[in-house]
Amino acid sequence: MSLNSLVFWALCGRYVLGHEAMRRMGTANVLIAGMRGLGVEIAKNVILSGVKSVTVQDEGLAEWMDFSSQFFLLASHLGQNRALSSLSRLSALNPHVHVSAHTGPLKETLLQQFQVVVLTDSSLDDQQRFGTFCHSNGIKLIVADTKGLCGQLFCDFGEEFEVLDTDGETPASAMIDHITKADPGVVTCIEQRHGFVDGSTVSLSEVCGMTKLNSYGPVDIKVLGPDSFSICDTSSFSEYKKGGVATEVKKSKILQFKPLDEALVDPELLVMTDYGKMTKHQTLHLAFQALHGFVKRVGRLPKPRSQSDAELLVAMVTELNKVSHLDQLDEDVVQSLSFTACGDLAPVNAFIGGLAAQEVMKACTGKFTPLQQWLYFDALECLPEGNGGEGEELTESTCSPRGSRYDGQTAVFGSGFQERLGEQKYFLVGAGAIGCELLKNFALIGLGAGEGGHITVTDMDSIERSNLNRQFLFRSQDIGVREKQKSEVAAQAVRVMNPNMNITAHQNRLDPDSEQVYGHTFFMGLDGVAAALDNVQARVYLDGRCVQHQRPMLEGGTLGSKGHTLVVVPHLTESYGPAKTGSQNAIPLCTLKNFPHRIEHTLQWARDQFEGLYKQAAEHVNLYFRDAAGFLERTLSRGEAEALEVLECVWGGVGGQRPQGWEDCVGWARRQWETLYNNDIAQLLHCFPSDQLTRSGLPFWSGAKRCPHPLTFDPSNTTHMDYVVAAANLYGQIYGIVGTRDSSAIRSILETVHIPAFTPKSTVKIHLTDKEMEEERESGHLDTGRLEELQKKLSSPPVNSAALQMHPIDFEKDDDNNFHIDYIVAASNLRAENYDIPTADRHKSKLIAGRIIPAIATTTAAVAGLMCVELYKLVQGHRKISSYRSSYINLAVQYCVLSEPLGPQRFTVSDRSAHTHTVPSMHKGTQRKEQRKVCSKKRELSGPHLQFASDVMPGLLCSMEQWPHWNLEQEWALAN
């Protein structure tokens, strides 16, 4: 499969994995054995990722127990082969992946056809036999298993596996302020945090004076502080003058894996997911082995809540421990595993399935660090706080199968709890990537599917092509159909999974304007809320509504391979919290306007240009035509400086500058090019010449200030013409003038365009800081005469104003034929050329300027699974904070942090203790023992993996300032 064929389908996959990794994915053949709930979850995620082929294998027949988590089985499939029954719906997920079914037994000859083999629902004997075969034949092996509330994952990628990119992070870079002549030389950076870690390798470029460093090659560094690091011996080099950029150089890494037989007896290969459960997971390693032995001896899994079966399993684990010699054997965990092993839970399968599918992607691509080698997960705290809790007592009878689609869940929680799930009324906000996964889980567990139960889902968006690679409820035929909104299509899809679903789809934005719909009565009628939102502001608003009405909230988010979950329980845990007042990484306006030094700056500038020229200008004109007097009054009330800008804009669309035809549009675009990339730069250099000194005698153009140079228009330059073609067409669109992509025709028009001579003015003042800019606005020093002139000209609108209505353009990143991204890429790269900033290709430009929050199916599945694990606890009414978990995951490095949430902020009123859900700006004082364990692991993270959790999930981890900083906060600011 060529990469071009995936240009739309795997859009966000490429943002996360990159072009080369996607190419490798497109050549991989994967076998997934076992099509129960876990197997189909893995298959779904792998198919969405874009491998060459997936073969699903299963000899078993569909039974009611499967329906609690196998979302591609229908009632008509009962008694039929699970692989064949799932085939058509798996194939529909991605037309670029060949999907086939194998209904015979697993044999070595079959395994030889694949680069990656995944075993689910397999015996330990099969795991060992096929593990030995795969290891000796260079086949990557992944073993995944879930039993009730517990999960297991194992990877063996062979004797030598090369990891090309260990974490997938964008290489860090920092601008240099000074370099010493010493052994070793010390580099001081302009930024307060350079983003490097000990052992990083960097290359240096654009260094003036100590120029030998520009050709020195990659050098290993030692971090000395947040803004400094040491490099090689620079004592013999010439003196440093100015400038320079240090850029991280990614290095590959070779990993060795043990075959399953050897790994079984190596406790050092266990990767922790919850540092408060270390003993539990060590015990689970033995318990899963014993469980296989139990099935081999008895011929079945332990019966739900069977005391005799539990005693037998405990005895078998105790026997195994005579060899393993665990210091602490947690018999309660073994008993709980025995009580629940018959269960098959959609949320646990979603979590383990997301992790396992990510390991498949690593095996195919060499991108990201694989699991080495065992991982265990348990959510045993979901069990009632005291047998039965507020509901029925759990016994063999209450947990026995009933020939129902929920049998796999009843085996764990009993029939009474199933009725309670069905009665729930929940509000899901967002039907995107996480929303689709949540709805799938809701349907499988039966949330709101009983008498009196109901799910309300709202999402105002329609379905776009880039959604398809991780929002698995949508299909290509849903794209572009006006009446097919995300919420409605998703609701229809889950009704197929579970016909008993009571679900209503809305297309409303959740904000103060929709409080007539989602008001006090609505919220008070809910049992809980689930947030599947893509921006912080909406999360904060929804959290405030939940706090106001004392309703629990499940919240989750993803960014590529990273994800987080938060559970908010009234009066028990902290809430999501208020929005930050500002971002320390927000780009200053003066930087965007005059002093960019990163491609992110030029892309944001280009995006601002687009909004101003093609949206805001047209909107202002239309508002003026609608009510000229009222518009002028409102505009003047906003202050003279802003009024002058707006009225100039309106006059441009109403007066003599209005284009009469296509030639005028081309002429406008050419003059716009000259203004932006020649005249404005010449004016800047007139105010601040290249040799300008500051008052202290230092070069003005130094540090973060790159000295620009004007460009000269060249019609043979592709980027120059790309700008003119896109700008002219967009300008024509807002006036209803049809353009063309014909470059030769446009060149002919350009030959007739007159470009006025430009002379820099000494009266122009260029602001160096945002503060100066604001002070200038407030001082009232502006051309009041021009403002009065515009008021007079616009006091009477044209008589034919209806014919002069304009067509504002809303930026749309996913249509490659609408000139939007064409304009952004060309405008940004031309400005980057002005300032000698390395340009960005269309792929990177679209990611940043399109404000795309990358998402992949694996992370969204895992996050939704963890959210629904917390849902089990909410429905049961758990009141111990120790029963709940907040989480942060980074599947790129297989790092999972699950920890007890913080309690609400407490204060004293009239000598009585009280609490609120407001989150403190910084958590101080003694942290819980479990959180200390989390914090003690921070040094294991290579680089900035946890700032994401800090930004979108306040209070998840203690003392977030101790963690390495990274630039994700800026990405969230741009995205929102």
Side-chain angles (χ1 to χ4, degrees):
M1 174 175 54
S2 69
L3 187 61
N4 288 337
S5 68
L6 291 173
V7 82
F8 288 118
W9 186 267
L11 180 64
C12 283
R14 290 206 312 276
Y15 290 139
V16 178
L17 298 176
H19 291 288
E20 177 59 24
M22 287 303 298
R23 186 192 65 79
R24 289 171 178 248
M25 288 277 288
T27 64
N29 301 301
V30 180
L31 171 67
I32 300 173
M35 277 295 105
R36 294 183 186 272
L38 179 58
V40 78
E41 182 71 49
I42 298 170
K44 177 256 294 180
N45 296 333
V46 171
I47 291 167
L48 289 173
S49 72
V51 295
K52 181 180 181 180
S53 76
V54 171
T55 298
V56 294
Q57 181 274 343
D58 199 318
E59 298 178 77
L61 306 180
E63 55 188 7
W64 278 120
M65 185 68 75
D66 299 322
F67 283 71
S68 60
S69 66
Q70 221 287 19
F71 46 85
F72 280 163
L73 291 180
L74 305 176
S76 59
H77 293 141
L78 284 167
Q80 299 182 25
N81 180 272
R82 285 186 292 255
L84 288 176
S85 298
S86 307
L87 182 60
S88 63
R89 299 179 75 187
L90 285 170
S91 299
L93 289 171
N94 189 341
H96 302 287
V97 177
H98 177 69
V99 184
S100 59
H102 181 80
T103 59
L106 286 180
K107 295 182 179 179
E108 284 83 351
T109 52
L110 176 66
L111 270 59
Q112 283 179 322
Q113 304 172 31
F114 303 94
Q115 288 80 50
V116 184
V117 170
V118 183
L119 300 180
T120 72
D121 194 30
S122 55
S123 69
L124 183 59
D125 289 342
D126 280 351
Q127 292 173 14
Q128 292 175 306
R129 176 162 65 97
F130 295 129
T132 300
F133 176 81
C134 289
H135 190 86
S136 60
N137 285 273
I139 301 169
K140 283 76 174 176
L141 174 71
I142 297 165
V143 176
D145 198 7
T146 59
K147 291 291 185 287
L149 287 162
C150 300
Q152 174 194 59
L153 188 62
F154 170 79
C155 291
D156 172 14
F157 290 179
E159 294 291 339
E160 286 193 355
F161 180 77
E162 184 178 14
V163 180
L164 302 174
D165 184 347
T166 58
D167 58 14
E169 300 292 341
T170 301
S173 66
M175 298 190 70
I176 296 171
D177 184 52
H178 186 70
I179 305 174
T180 64
K181 286 185 65 173
D183 183 16
V186 175
V187 178
T188 305
C189 301
I190 294 170
E191 289 93 344
Q192 291 183 343
R193 294 178 182 269
H194 47 61
F196 304 129
V197 296
D198 267 344
S200 291
T201 300
V202 303
S203 63
L204 296 114
S205 59
E206 303 181 38
V207 177
C208 296
M210 201 176 282
T211 55
K212 190 171 182 180
L213 285 174
N214 294 328
S215 58
Y216 191 84
V219 57
D220 293 334
I221 69 167
K222 180 179 180 181
V223 173
L224 303 177
D227 64 346
S228 62
F229 57 87
S230 63
I231 52 173
C232 57
D233 182 357
T234 60
S235 56
S236 62
F237 297 173
S238 53
E239 289 287 342
Y240 172 83
K241 291 183 179 178
K242 66 175 183 177
V245 178
T247 305
E248 180 186 11
V249 177
K250 292 269 187 170
K251 294 185 292 186
S252 64
K253 186 177 182 180
I254 302 295
L255 301 179
Q256 290 83 35
F257 290 80
K258 292 185 178 182
L260 190 142
D261 276 343
E262 294 181 28
L264 274 173
V265 295
D266 190 344
E268 297 300 316
L269 297 179
L270 265 66
V271 174
M272 290 294 112
T273 57
D274 190 325
Y275 293 100
K277 296 182 176 180
M278 191 172 296
T279 302
K280 287 186 177 182
H281 291 177
Q282 290 171 341
T283 300
L284 279 176
H285 185 60
L286 297 182
F288 265 80
Q289 297 175 53
L291 203 56
H292 287 290
F294 185 101
V295 173
K296 193 172 183 179
R297 180 188 301 185
V298 181
R300 58 169 174 78
L301 286 167
K303 294 179 182 178
R305 293 285 155 179
S306 169
Q307 190 62 44
S308 59
D309 283 355
E311 290 172 357
L312 176 56
L313 188 65
V314 169
M316 296 175 74
V317 172
T318 303
E319 187 66 25
L320 285 175
N321 196 40
K322 291 180 180 178
V323 177
S324 297
H325 304 295
L326 291 182
D327 293 334
Q328 290 180 280
L329 186 66
D330 194 329
E331 293 188 2
D332 289 341
V333 168
V334 181
Q335 178 174 271
S336 295
L337 175 64
S338 180
F339 284 168
T340 60
C342 262
D344 191 19
L345 301 177
V348 178
N349 285 332
F351 177 67
I352 295 296
L355 269 58
Q358 187 70 50
E359 296 306 308
V360 173
M361 295 165 67
K362 295 174 186 177
C364 295
T365 64
K367 183 78 175 272
F368 304 150
T369 302
L371 169 68
Q372 288 191 282
Q373 291 187 255
W374 292 101
L375 178 146
Y376 287 90
F377 167 79
D378 84 85
L380 293 171
E381 68 276 1
C382 288
L383 292 171
E385 295 175 334
N387 189 26
E390 298 178 4
E392 65 185 350
E393 181 179 356
L394 299 183
T395 64
E396 287 190 57
S397 175
T398 59
C399 296
S400 62
R402 285 159 168 72
S404 160
R405 65 169 51 251
Y406 308 119
D407 279 352
Q409 191 163 256
T410 301
V412 176
F413 296 112
S415 56
F417 175 69
Q418 188 60 55
E419 292 179 9
R420 204 181 316 169
L421 273 171
E423 296 166 353
Q424 295 292 299
K425 297 180 180 66
Y426 256 75
F427 182 32
L428 171 60
V429 187
I434 295 177
C436 283
E437 293 289 339
L438 286 174
L439 282 174
K440 175 255 293 179
N441 292 341
F442 290 173
L444 293 170
I445 68 176
L447 186 75
E451 185 176 352
H454 194 266
I455 304 294
T456 302
V457 56
T458 188
D459 193 308
M460 63 177 295
D461 289 341
S462 56
I463 300 165
E464 299 174 354
R465 190 168 298 277
S466 61
N467 300 148
L468 300 184
N469 81 315
R470 77 275 188 195
Q471 297 177 20
F472 83 108
L473 298 182
F474 309 139
R475 300 291 179 268
S476 56
Q477 59 265 29
D478 298 324
I479 299 168
V481 182
R482 181 178 295 274
E483 63 271 17
K484 286 194 172 183
Q485 298 293 105
K486 282 185 177 180
S487 57
E488 186 57 47
V489 175
Q492 292 173 358
V494 296
R495 286 192 195 102
V496 174
M497 293 180 185
N498 185 348
N500 297 320
M501 286 292 287
N502 304 311
I503 183 168
T504 300
H506 292 175
Q507 289 80 44
N508 301 318
R509 183 193 299 275
L510 191 76
D511 59 17
D513 292 338
S514 64
E515 288 184 10
Q516 289 185 340
V517 180
Y518 309 119
H520 176 77
T521 301
F522 176 82
F523 271 91
M524 294 307 293
L526 297 173
D527 292 294
V529 173
L533 293 156
D534 62 359
N535 66 85
V536 174
Q537 283 78 6
R539 285 179 168 95
V540 170
Y541 173 77
L542 180 57
D543 175 66
R545 300 287 285 161
C546 290
V547 170
Q548 178 184 356
H549 296 94
Q550 297 297 289
R551 290 297 177 262
M553 183 179 80
L554 297 162
E555 195 277 324
T558 70
L559 186 96
S561 62
K562 305 177 185 70
H564 79 276
T565 67
L566 174 71
V567 56
V568 179
V569 188
H571 308 297
L572 186 66
T573 72
E574 68 174 356
S575 72
Y576 184 85
K580 296 182 179 180
T581 55
S583 171
Q584 60 184 350
N585 289 311
I587 306 173
L589 290 177
C590 62
T591 298
L592 292 176
K593 190 174 178 62
N594 298 309
F595 308 113
H597 56 271
R598 293 183 181 274
I599 196 64
E600 289 82 1
H601 301 160
T602 66
L603 282 163
Q604 183 61 47
W605 175 86
R607 180 67 190 271
D608 291 346
Q609 288 284 316
F610 183 100
E611 295 291 324
L613 293 171
Y614 308 119
K615 182 180 181 184
Q616 294 170 5
E619 289 176 339
H620 288 322
V621 170
N622 289 346
L623 288 172
Y624 165 72
F625 284 148
R626 193 175 305 158
D627 177 14
F631 175 79
L632 289 173
E633 181 181 350
R634 290 191 301 272
T635 301
L636 292 170
S637 69
R638 292 155 68 176
E640 291 183 337
E642 187 173 350
L644 182 60
E645 293 177 9
V646 172
L647 296 187
E648 286 282 16
C649 177
V650 171
W651 180 245
V654 174
Q657 298 177 25
R658 189 179 179 97
Q660 301 303 307
W662 172 239
E663 291 78 8
D664 290 344
C665 297
V666 175
W668 174 88
R670 173 63 183 88
R671 288 187 292 274
Q672 190 76 5
W673 190 102
E674 195 71 18
T675 297
L676 295 175
Y677 304 112
N678 184 293
N679 300 351
D680 288 353
I681 301 301
Q683 179 65 61
L684 180 62
L685 289 172
H686 178 77
C687 295
F688 302 105
S690 59
D691 57 356
Q692 175 90 9
L693 299 178
T694 65
R695 291 178 181 176
S696 56
L698 297 174
F700 175 84
W701 293 106
S702 63
K705 291 187 177 68
R706 289 174 174 264
C707 185
H709 62 274
L711 303 182
T712 301
F713 184 78
D714 179 3
S716 65
N717 184 298
T718 301
T719 308
H720 294 196
M721 282 300 295
D722 284 348
Y723 177 89
V724 171
V725 171
N729 275 278
L730 291 169
Y731 192 63
Q733 288 174 24
I734 63 176
Y735 288 101
I737 298 171
V738 178
T740 179
R741 287 184 181 271
D742 188 342
S743 296
S744 60
I746 294 173
R747 285 194 186 93
S748 298
I749 298 173
L750 288 175
E751 292 175 0
T752 67
V753 175
H754 172 67
I755 304 299
F758 175 75
T759 302
K761 299 179 178 63
S762 299
T763 56
V764 172
K765 181 178 181 180
I766 293 176
H767 305 102
L768 299 182
T769 65
D770 285 4
K771 184 178 179 181
E772 281 187 16
M773 196 179 300
E774 187 61 30
E775 288 174 350
E776 176 78 9
R777 278 178 169 270
E778 294 175 355
S779 68
H781 295 159
L782 51 82
D783 190 349
T784 54
R786 176 58 177 168
L787 180 60
E788 292 173 359
E789 178 187 357
L790 288 170
Q791 282 182 255
K792 185 176 181 180
K793 287 181 175 181
L794 293 170
S795 59
S796 299
V799 293
N800 61 337
S801 59
L804 299 177
Q805 286 282 324
M806 295 179 66
H807 310 281
I809 299 175
D810 289 314
F811 181 75
E812 170 51 59
K813 66 185 182 299
D814 289 320
D815 182 354
D816 281 346
N817 296 314
N818 62 8
F819 297 102
H820 296 194
I821 291 295
D822 295 344
Y823 177 86
I824 295 296
V825 174
S828 170
N829 283 341
L830 286 168
R831 189 161 176 82
E833 188 179 345
N834 277 137
Y835 286 86
D836 293 317
I837 299 169
T839 58
D841 62 15
R842 187 180 184 89
H843 168 75
K844 182 176 180 180
S845 299
K846 191 172 184 178
L847 171 65
I848 298 173
R851 300 172 184 175
I852 296 171
I853 301 176
I856 49 177
T858 51
T859 317
T860 55
V863 163
L866 290 174
M867 290 173 70
C868 289
V869 165
E870 300 306 304
L871 175 63
Y872 281 145
K873 304 168 188 177
L874 290 174
V875 174
Q876 291 187 87
H878 282 10
R879 296 307 305 164
K880 295 178 182 177
I881 196 170
S882 59
S883 295
Y884 292 95
R885 290 292 182 274
S886 297
S887 68
Y888 168 76
I889 62 175
N890 185 350
L891 302 191
V893 292
Q894 203 52 283
Y895 198 90
C896 304
V897 178
L898 282 79
S899 64
E900 180 182 315
L902 293 175
Q905 185 182 23
R906 296 190 175 275
F907 57 95
T908 300
V909 179
S910 301
D911 298 325
R912 296 181 65 184
S913 177
H915 58 260
T916 177
H917 282 294
T918 302
V919 181
S921 59
M922 183 182 299
H923 299 287
K924 298 180 179 180
T926 304
Q927 302 293 328
R928 298 183 182 86
K929 179 180 180 182
E930 185 176 7
Q931 291 170 318
R932 288 199 299 268
K933 291 179 181 178
V934 172
C935 289
S936 71
K937 302 296 291 184
K938 64 181 181 292
R939 293 183 180 86
E940 293 187 10
L941 291 175
S942 58
H945 297 309
L946 289 187
Q947 187 64 34
F948 172 72
S950 174
D951 289 342
V952 301
M953 187 177 170
L956 168 61
L957 300 171
C958 59
S959 303
M960 292 304 303
E961 289 190 345
Q962 300 176 29
W963 296 84
H965 174 80
W966 68 319
N967 203 32
L968 183 60
E969 187 176 335
Q970 178 176 320
E971 293 184 32
W972 272 96
L974 289 173
N976 302 319

